[in-house]
Amino acid sequence: MPSSAARRSPRAAPLARAVEPAGRPDLVPYAVVFGVLTAGVVLYLGWLLLRGNPEAGPLLAVPAGVALAVAVGAALVWRGVRGGWVLLAVASLVPFLGILFVAFLFGALGAGGDMALALLLAAAPLSSLVLALRAPVRAWCTPSRGTRPAGGTRAARRAR
């Protein structure tokens, strides 16, 4: 008498893969907008540095470089280039930590109004950092999302 247990195939079941979204995830434009705002905040702080001390011209290379890195990271995230989210996250972390340090310095000196303004300026880099680290933004900037080359792979061309 045959057993009532169902027979199983010796082959392994295919792996379930996550379905890629058809278009750009909803969080990507927000990450880009906050990245551009972060670049604006960094340029504004550089302008304040120059306004306070006109001889600080060479020091403007630091804020300009950070603002450029944030803007490039935002552009890479918008296009979905691999590693764009890493650049945006690291470039947003630098001004966030710098503004946070200045805010704590103002707090230690007893300048509560200036501390509140510095914390308000820290909102853009923090938002850009948090959005760059979210899973949909990271998934948008992965190498597996790209399209295959038109000519196929090398192995397929060699087999012809």
Side-chain angles (χ1 to χ4, degrees):
M1 179 164 209
S3 72
S4 61
R7 289 184 45 116
R8 292 186 51 185
S9 172
R11 283 188 265 153
L15 295 174
R17 295 184 186 223
V19 179
E20 286 188 29
R24 182 176 286 126
D26 292 337
L27 288 178
V28 169
Y30 294 111
V32 171
V33 165
F34 279 106
V36 170
L37 281 174
T38 300
V41 164
V42 171
L43 290 176
Y44 172 70
L45 293 174
W47 177 75
L48 286 178
L49 177 70
L50 184 64
R51 191 171 147 218
N53 184 8
E55 296 174 359
L59 286 178
L60 287 179
V62 174
V66 171
L68 181 67
V70 172
V72 168
L76 293 177
V77 166
W78 179 258
R79 293 192 58 206
V81 177
R82 178 180 61 181
W85 68 273
V86 175
L87 180 61
L88 182 61
V90 170
S92 297
L93 181 66
V94 171
F96 174 68
L97 292 177
I99 293 171
L100 201 62
F101 173 75
V102 169
F104 282 126
L105 183 66
F106 284 151
L109 293 175
D114 293 334
M115 182 184 78
L117 184 62
L119 289 176
L120 184 64
L121 285 175
L126 177 64
S127 300
S128 177
L129 173 66
V130 168
L131 288 171
L133 294 176
R134 295 290 306 264
V137 176
R138 290 191 326 252
W140 173 250
C141 298
T142 56
S144 65
R145 190 186 60 76
T147 58
R148 294 189 339 195
T153 62
R154 280 191 225 164
R157 277 187 249 142
R158 275 186 265 155
R160 290 183 198 163

